[in-house]
């Protein structure tokens, strides 16, 4: 079946939405999360299930503390980037989440 024929009732709303986060990232709420940091921030994750993949778009020149289960494959958060594109995949609920960070700076 072509993807265009799949109705939104078949896939959860998280596949078709974007959410602004404060400090908790509810993995069932959206597929893309955005945040502009205005102070050092400690993020928490909720409702993480094995196999879920999420994208975070974060900017702001402040430190971010990540949940203990996050393991970085590559990249580094840059407070001076226009946007940090962060891809996260859970391989064991919230105890093992692998992430990569790409930095975008507008010219």
């Amino acid at each position: 079946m072509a993807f265009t024929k799949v109705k939104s009732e078949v896939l959860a709303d998280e596949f078709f939405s974007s959410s602004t986060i404060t400090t908790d990232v509810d993995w069932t709420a959206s597929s893309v999360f955005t945040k502009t940091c205005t102070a050092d921030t400690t993020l928490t994750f909720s409702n993480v299930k094995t196999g879920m993949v999420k994208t975070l778009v974060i900017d702001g020149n402040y430190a971010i503390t990540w949940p203990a289960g996050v393991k970085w494959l590559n990249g580094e958060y840059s407070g001076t980037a226009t946007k940090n594109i962060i891809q996260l995949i859970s391989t064991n609920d919230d105890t093992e989440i692998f992430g990569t960070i790409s930095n975008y700076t507008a010219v």
Side-chain angles (χ1 to χ4, degrees), residues 2 9 28 31 36 42 47 54-55 85 94:
E9 299 91 44
T28 60
S31 59
T36 297
T42 298
N47 300 312
K54 300 299 168 186
T55 301
I85 312 302
D94 63 353

Side-chain angles (χ1 to χ4, degrees), residues 28-102:
T28 60
S30 187
S31 59
V32 177
F33 297 90
T34 60
K35 179 167 185 60
T36 297
C37 293
T38 57
D40 291 352
T41 302
T42 298
L43 293 178
T44 58
F45 292 160
S46 59
N47 300 312
V48 181
K49 301 292 180 212
T50 300
M52 289 180 140
V53 178
K54 300 299 168 186
T55 301
L56 281 63
V57 181
I58 303 178
D59 63 286
N61 198 6
Y62 296 94
I64 296 179
T65 302
W66 298 92
V70 177
K71 297 165 179 57
W72 296 108
L73 298 172
N74 64 15
E76 186 173 304
Y77 183 81
S78 170
T80 59
T82 303
K83 301 283 181 199
N84 293 274
I85 312 302
I86 301 158
Q87 293 269 266
L88 300 167
I89 182 169
S90 168
T91 57
N92 188 12
D93 293 338
D94 63 353
T95 62
E96 189 173 68
I97 299 167
F98 290 99
T100 62
I101 301 176
S102 301

